[in-house]
Amino acid sequence: MRRQDFHFELPDELIARTPAKERRGSRLLCLDGPSGALEHRRFAELPGLLLPGDLLVFNDTRVIPARLFGRKASGGRLEILIERVLDGGRALAHIRASKSPKPGSRILLEDGTPLQMTARHEALFELEFPAEGVLPVLERLGHMPLPPYIDRPDDDADRERYQTVYSRTAGAVAAPTAGLHFDDEMLDHLREMGVETAFVTLHVGAGTFQPVRVDNIFEHRMHSEVLDVPQRVCEAVADCRARGGRVTAVGTTSVRALESAAASGELKPTVGETDIFIYPGYRFQVVDRLITNFHLPESTLLMLVSAFAGYEQTMNAYREAVKEKYRFFSYGDAMLINGNPEVGALSPSSSPASGRGG
């Protein structure tokens, strides 16, 4: 397939630059993959679309305030976007500057906090933080890493709204945005009605916004992300299957984590990294339903959704969403999709998960 096959026209005014007043206040477009049928709902109606015994799988990663501003020792201004925290005192980062810093050079943050650029790994720079540590410095000086299409400075409200209410494990530099629609009250209500929940961790990297630059999508290579699918999640999925429930992934990151852990054909506890690329032709191992936001044209996330629901069904749903003026991207509206088991006919060349059992 070609990258251009996943293009659609999106008016700029449909890009959601601020969140809805309430988390559950967004719209919900329901798509039945097998039939292509569409239904317009509100996200607040989600509990009525789930059944006792269903399983929701969430990504509990927590977004870190990963954007920093500073200057080189020579005085040149720069912007830092942390990609991955390596340990308590080191991180890999993207650096935007008129001239890239060299290994051994010193960087001063806005308040004078010093960093050392110790090595370069292709497009990423390894930074050494002071004894205070990476995360404390980010909490003190960092800005929330809003996506590039939200073309405004972050504000105090983003610290709370660009974060799921169940976030727990710090490490992401982009939010698992399908989860932004859930509030504590809805989660409590779902548990009371017998809907089960489970939590994987996949630390979303800045590469989630990396465009597909090749025309033939089979030539695209994904960035890798850290994941953890624990034993209790595998047991929750098995129990759901045994009682006839449906496994619903909340967000494409939950899909990627689950499907990576099932790359062998069996869902297994997995700790490591994944660069799995899911596009039409992929046969899903674990996920029956998907809750997701609306994604960028020609993006790998739109390709994943097309693999899950069917290409024609997905592109038709997006045309309908544009027509009905749904709000797009991270702070936008959501979809609930019933997977289409008939679409996994091709041999996928998605990269397998790499990791170890744990």
Side-chain angles (χ1 to χ4, degrees):
M1 300 189 77
R2 315 297 293 180
R3 169 174 51 86
Q4 297 85 345
D5 293 335
F6 299 90
H7 182 76
F8 63 93
E9 294 297 329
L10 180 68
D12 182 75
E13 63 267 21
L14 297 187
I15 298 174
R17 292 176 169 85
T18 56
K21 187 175 181 180
E22 296 180 346
R23 286 183 180 270
R24 63 170 68 189
S26 59
R27 299 166 72 187
L28 181 67
L29 180 60
C30 299
L31 167 61
D32 181 60
S35 68
L38 296 169
E39 188 177 5
H40 301 284
R41 297 270 199 152
R42 306 295 303 183
F43 197 85
E45 300 177 70
L46 178 67
L49 303 173
L50 299 171
L51 297 172
D54 282 350
L55 174 68
L56 291 176
V57 182
F58 297 91
N59 180 7
D60 69 2
T61 189
R62 184 168 181 81
V63 182
I64 57 177
R67 181 166 279 117
L68 296 164
F69 297 94
R71 58 183 175 83
K72 294 180 283 188
S74 61
R77 302 290 299 175
L78 50 74
E79 178 182 334
I80 298 168
L81 178 62
I82 302 298
E83 169 72 21
R84 182 180 300 186
V85 177
L86 297 174
D87 54 39
R90 297 180 305 131
L92 288 177
H94 304 268
I95 294 181
R96 181 187 296 176
S98 58
K99 189 175 182 181
S100 298
K102 296 180 179 180
S105 61
R106 199 168 184 239
I107 294 171
L108 298 175
L109 300 181
E110 290 176 294
D111 70 341
T113 298
L115 306 181
Q116 194 85 8
M117 204 287 271
T118 57
R120 184 164 183 174
H121 307 277
E122 297 181 347
L124 296 174
F125 298 81
E126 185 174 329
L127 300 176
E128 185 174 321
F129 282 66
E132 181 183 358
V134 177
L135 293 180
V137 169
L138 294 180
E139 287 299 325
R140 184 164 52 83
L141 295 173
H143 296 259
M144 290 302 280
L146 297 179
Y149 46 75
I150 299 181
D151 48 1
R152 62 170 175 82
D154 67 310
D155 55 33
D156 291 342
D158 292 313
R159 287 257 178 164
E160 184 258 337
R161 288 306 302 272
Y162 195 61
Q163 199 82 265
T164 64
V165 297
Y166 49 81
S167 62
R168 181 173 56 192
T169 309
V173 300
T177 55
L180 298 179
H181 304 282
F182 289 85
D183 55 31
D184 289 321
E185 184 181 355
M186 179 178 285
L187 291 173
D188 290 342
H189 176 55
L190 289 171
R191 294 186 186 103
E192 288 170 1
M193 61 179 278
V195 174
E196 301 292 328
T197 58
F199 296 87
V200 298
T201 302
L202 188 141
H203 290 319
V204 192
T208 192
F209 304 113
Q210 177 184 342
V212 177
R213 294 188 171 89
V214 293
D215 288 335
N216 184 346
I217 68 169
F218 305 140
E219 298 173 0
H220 178 70
R221 293 294 173 265
M222 296 283 285
H223 61 287
S224 64
E225 295 167 315
V226 175
L227 87 160
D228 182 1
V229 179
Q231 175 67 34
R232 60 183 175 273
V233 173
C234 301
E235 293 170 356
V237 169
D239 291 344
C240 180
R241 291 272 184 259
R243 62 178 175 261
R246 299 166 297 180
V247 177
T248 300
V250 179
T252 56
T253 59
S254 295
V255 173
R256 296 183 71 240
L258 290 169
E259 295 296 320
S260 295
S264 67
E266 176 186 356
L267 182 63
K268 298 178 180 179
T270 304
V271 176
E273 297 189 0
T274 182
D275 59 356
I276 190 171
F277 179 20
I278 297 176
Y279 51 78
Y282 180 86
R283 189 173 293 279
F284 288 82
Q285 303 288 327
V286 182
V287 181
D288 302 312
R289 305 174 94 199
L290 169 62
I291 298 171
T292 185
N293 280 21
F294 292 94
H295 303 293
L296 278 74
E298 302 183 12
S299 65
T300 60
L301 302 182
L302 178 55
M303 294 170 192
L304 183 153
V305 173
S306 297
F308 189 71
Y311 171 76
E312 293 293 344
Q313 295 91 323
T314 298
M315 300 307 292
N316 179 61
Y318 269 60
R319 287 189 291 269
E320 177 73 5
V322 170
K323 176 186 172 185
E324 295 297 322
K325 300 188 183 305
Y326 277 72
R327 301 171 78 238
F328 275 67
F329 308 155
S330 295
Y331 274 151
D333 294 317
M335 296 183 73
L336 171 62
I337 304 171
N338 289 325
N340 187 349
E342 301 302 319
V343 298
L346 306 176
S347 298
S349 61
S350 52
S351 304
S354 58
R356 56 181 176 81

